[in-house]
């Protein structure tokens, strides 16, 4: 498998905390937005609706589009956990939004709505390679069971809104997301449970998968109480966790390829966003079920390949190899007042132009790229990536995520940190070329 490559954190959060960073103060409640607790942003209120496993029926998906149009800015935004955010919400709309969500089963628990953070292999059961079927388990059934039991457990309401469960069918996609509790299905019914970022797993008996996952989360809360500690994530208190016994493999962390699968379709959303109209096109192309991915895409189980041209015409990514692959951007203007630019508009222009300057390298040969409106770099990828930062007088293009904490352009410092400054500051016109060049960097 390839080296692990976690995706971006949720778009409204600052960059992911790494193992080498300080653990923040956890003596306060987390401020993660939810469907009932809205976050106040510069473009209005923001609601984050948890979708365990990214799973949506067509009826639920349409209800989200209707809510976006009636109450928000008419757009739907997907997150790095396969959830959906509605932005630009009118003041005092929380009760109506909750009613709309309840009516279609998207708010099964008021007390637990923010802890339903579950990612699962989105193409489980739908794809194959020359060697045969990929994956070792129907993780979507685990998602439903885990969600139901989580919502029914009083203790689970004590988890942070950032606590993440990952259910991986064995291909190593969501297992690379460094969730708090990860269950990996192996061949022959073998299962391994990973706690935090431990490099070793705990064997789990087949049939006890969901019980083992819940027990791990409950034990974490109990250990915090016993030791008088405050933490949101298992990785913050590795000394309190039982060590695993079985070495875990490296996880590929690859997003599903866009296009036709053996059992459905896979498409990408540009910057993870879709207008309500685009969203309806997506729902119409489905066979009644959608799975949003942690990589800002959607998988449509059972949808026929002849729906791909219509999806491409509606603006979805349907063919691999585009410059849009592994390209992300923070909210920027007008949604975030801290931004020095409308980064998504500028980035879209550069990516569309960048298609023409790409080499024949496959998407895995290109570094991820992330545009930021300010130095917080919300939602940037982990690992090695191209940093495109608005400066107020153009964009600075830099290679290497390790440079993300360097506050000012500083070639000497960048060199120390093994970063490569390709161009101090580029204009919008120069950006496509500079970004394409930086993404091809291999050293
Ligand atoms: S402008 Fe800055 S604070 Fe605002 S979303 Fe972008 S990176 Fe985050």
């Amino acid at each position: 498998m390839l080296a692990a490559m976690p995706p971006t954190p949720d778009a409204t959060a600052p960059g992911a905390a790494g193992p080498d960073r300080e653990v923040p103060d956890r003596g306060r409640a987390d401020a993660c937005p939810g469907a009932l607790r809205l976050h106040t942003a510069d473009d209005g209120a923001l609601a984050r609706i948890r979708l365990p496993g990214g799973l949506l029926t067509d009826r639920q998906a349409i209800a989200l589009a209707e809510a976006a149009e009636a109450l928000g800015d008419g757009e739907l935004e997907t997150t790095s956990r396969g959830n959906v955010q509605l932005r630009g919400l009118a003041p005092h709309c929380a009760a109506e939004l909750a009613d709309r969500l309840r009516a279609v089963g998207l708010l099964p628990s008021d007390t637990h709505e923010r802890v339903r953070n579950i990612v699962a292999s989105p193409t489980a059961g739908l794809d194959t390679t020359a060697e045969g079927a990929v994956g070792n388990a129907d993780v979507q059934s685990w998602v439903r069971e885990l969600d139901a039991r989580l919502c029914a457990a009083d203790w689970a309401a004590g988890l942070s809104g950032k606590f993440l469960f990952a259910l991986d069918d064995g291909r190593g996609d969501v297992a690379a997301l460094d969730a708090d509790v990860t269950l990996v299905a192996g061949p022959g019914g073998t299962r391994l449970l990973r706690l935090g970022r431990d490099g070793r797993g705990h064997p789990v008996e087949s049939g006890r998968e969901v019980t083992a996952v819940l027990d791990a989360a409950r034990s974490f809360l109990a250990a915090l109480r016993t030791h008088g500690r405050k933490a949101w994530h298992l990785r913050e208190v590795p000394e309190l966790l039982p060590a695993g016994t079985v070495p875990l493999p490296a996880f590929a962390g690859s997003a599903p390829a866009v296009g036709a699968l053996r059992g459905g379709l896979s498409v990408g959303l540009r910057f993870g966003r879709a207008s309500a109209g685009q969203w309806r096109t997506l729902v119409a192309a489905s066979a009644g079920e959608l799975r949003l991915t942690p990589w800002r895409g959607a998988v449509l189980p059972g949808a026929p390949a002849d729906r791909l041209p219509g999806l491409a015409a509606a603006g979805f990514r349907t063919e691999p190899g585009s410059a849009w692959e592994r390209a992300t951007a923070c909210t920027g203007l007008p949604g975030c007042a801290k931004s020095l630019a409308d980064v998504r508009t500028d980035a879209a222009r550069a990516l569309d132009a960048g298609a023409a300057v790409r080499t024949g390298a496959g998407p895995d040969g290109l570094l991820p790229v992330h545009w930021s409106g300010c130095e917080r770099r919300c939602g940037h990828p982990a690992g090695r990536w191209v940093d495109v930062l608005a400066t107020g007088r153009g964009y600075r293009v830099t290679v290497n995520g390790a440079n993300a904490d360097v506050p000012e352009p500083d070639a000497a410092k960048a060199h120390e940190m093994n970063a490569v400054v390709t161009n101090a500051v580029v204009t919008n016109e120069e950006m496509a070329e500079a970004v394409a060049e930086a993404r091809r960097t291999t050293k």
Side-chain angles (χ1 to χ4, degrees):
M1 290 191 188
L2 302 175
M5 193 207 69
T8 58
D10 279 357
T12 54
D20 50 344
R21 298 193 182 186
E22 277 185 28
V23 175
D25 171 23
R26 300 310 196 206
R28 57 193 165 78
D30 75 86
C32 232
L36 297 173
R37 185 163 83 189
L38 308 190
H39 167 78
T40 304
D42 294 309
D43 55 349
L46 177 154
R48 183 175 299 161
I49 297 127
R50 265 64 173 189
L51 305 174
L55 304 181
L56 277 172
T57 64
D58 52 356
R59 183 166 165 255
Q60 290 172 329
I62 289 295
L64 288 176
E66 289 172 349
E69 286 179 318
L71 309 174
D73 64 3
E75 299 249 327
L76 298 103
E77 187 171 75
T78 60
T79 77
S80 61
R81 294 177 165 198
N83 294 321
V84 159
Q85 292 183 164
L86 303 182
R87 304 187 68 105
L89 293 165
H92 316 302
C93 77
E96 182 177 347
L97 175 62
D99 286 345
R100 285 171 177 263
L101 298 176
R102 272 189 207 102
V104 292
L106 286 175
L107 190 54
S109 166
D110 286 8
T111 51
H112 290 60
E113 63 108 350
R114 295 189 318 123
V115 303
R116 302 169 65 226
N117 295 302
I118 307 171
V119 292
S121 301
T123 54
L126 302 179
D127 52 0
T128 188
T129 67
E131 288 78 43
V134 180
N136 303 303
D138 171 17
V139 292
Q140 271 70 36
S141 67
W142 293 347
V143 169
R144 294 187 181 91
E145 182 186 347
L146 176 56
D147 185 28
R149 292 176 62 182
L150 200 59
C151 289
D154 288 344
W155 61 265
L159 293 169
S160 152
K162 299 175 185 295
F163 192 95
L164 182 64
F165 299 94
L167 305 175
D168 192 299
D169 75 346
R171 73 188 64 215
D173 53 2
V174 295
L177 304 188
D178 280 341
D180 290 282
V181 180
T182 302
L183 183 74
V184 183
T190 57
R191 279 77 171 97
L192 286 176
L193 191 73
R194 182 191 193 202
L195 303 181
R197 291 179 172 166
D198 195 354
R200 290 172 174 263
H202 300 259
V204 172
E205 219 175 286
S206 184
R208 291 198 71 257
E209 292 89 353
V210 172
T211 299
V213 166
L214 286 166
D215 285 350
R218 189 172 192 171
S219 299
F220 164 65
L221 292 181
L224 291 181
R225 265 197 314 276
T226 301
H227 295 272
R229 301 284 298 276
K230 306 251 183 222
W232 292 339
H233 296 292
L234 270 68
R235 63 174 180 264
E236 296 167 8
V237 287
E239 68 280 10
L240 300 186
L241 309 178
T245 55
V246 180
L248 290 161
F251 299 119
S254 301
V258 295
L261 308 168
R262 180 171 57 100
L265 301 178
S266 168
V267 300
L269 283 69
R270 295 181 168 204
F271 297 141
R273 288 175 72 92
S275 67
Q278 288 176 305
W279 193 261
R280 286 194 170 85
T281 302
L282 188 66
V283 177
S286 79
E289 181 192 347
L290 299 87
R291 300 179 189 170
L292 302 187
T293 78
W295 300 275
R296 272 90 173 184
V299 170
L300 309 179
D306 63 8
R307 307 275 163 87
L308 279 175
L311 289 165
F316 293 99
R317 289 193 300 105
T318 60
E319 290 186 13
S322 147
W324 280 84
E325 294 214 2
R326 306 170 81 196
T328 52
C330 79
T331 301
L333 290 174
C336 177
K338 291 191 179 67
S339 185
L340 297 171
D342 180 354
V343 287
R344 286 187 170 158
T345 298
D346 293 342
R349 196 180 298 120
L351 288 167
D352 284 338
V357 298
R358 283 209 40 207
T359 64
D364 286 335
L366 291 179
L367 289 176
V369 56
H370 183 75
W371 274 260
S372 302
C374 81
E375 285 160 9
R376 285 188 66 186
R377 297 173 171 85
C378 297
H380 72 73
R384 195 161 169 76
W385 53 290
V386 174
D387 177 25
V388 189
L389 177 69
T391 65
R393 49 191 173 85
Y395 286 85
R396 185 159 56 96
V397 182
T398 309
V399 179
N400 198 330
N403 193 43
D405 294 328
V406 178
E408 288 296 331
D410 182 334
K413 179 90 174 192
H415 180 69
E416 272 173 30
M417 301 184 76
N418 193 31
V420 179
V421 176
T422 56
N423 218 334
V425 174
V426 295
T427 64
N428 271 344
E429 290 66 38
E430 297 162 336
M431 187 155 59
E433 185 74 50
V435 168
E437 182 63 32
R439 296 188 75 183
R440 291 193 289 262
T441 302
T442 54
K443 58 185 176 185

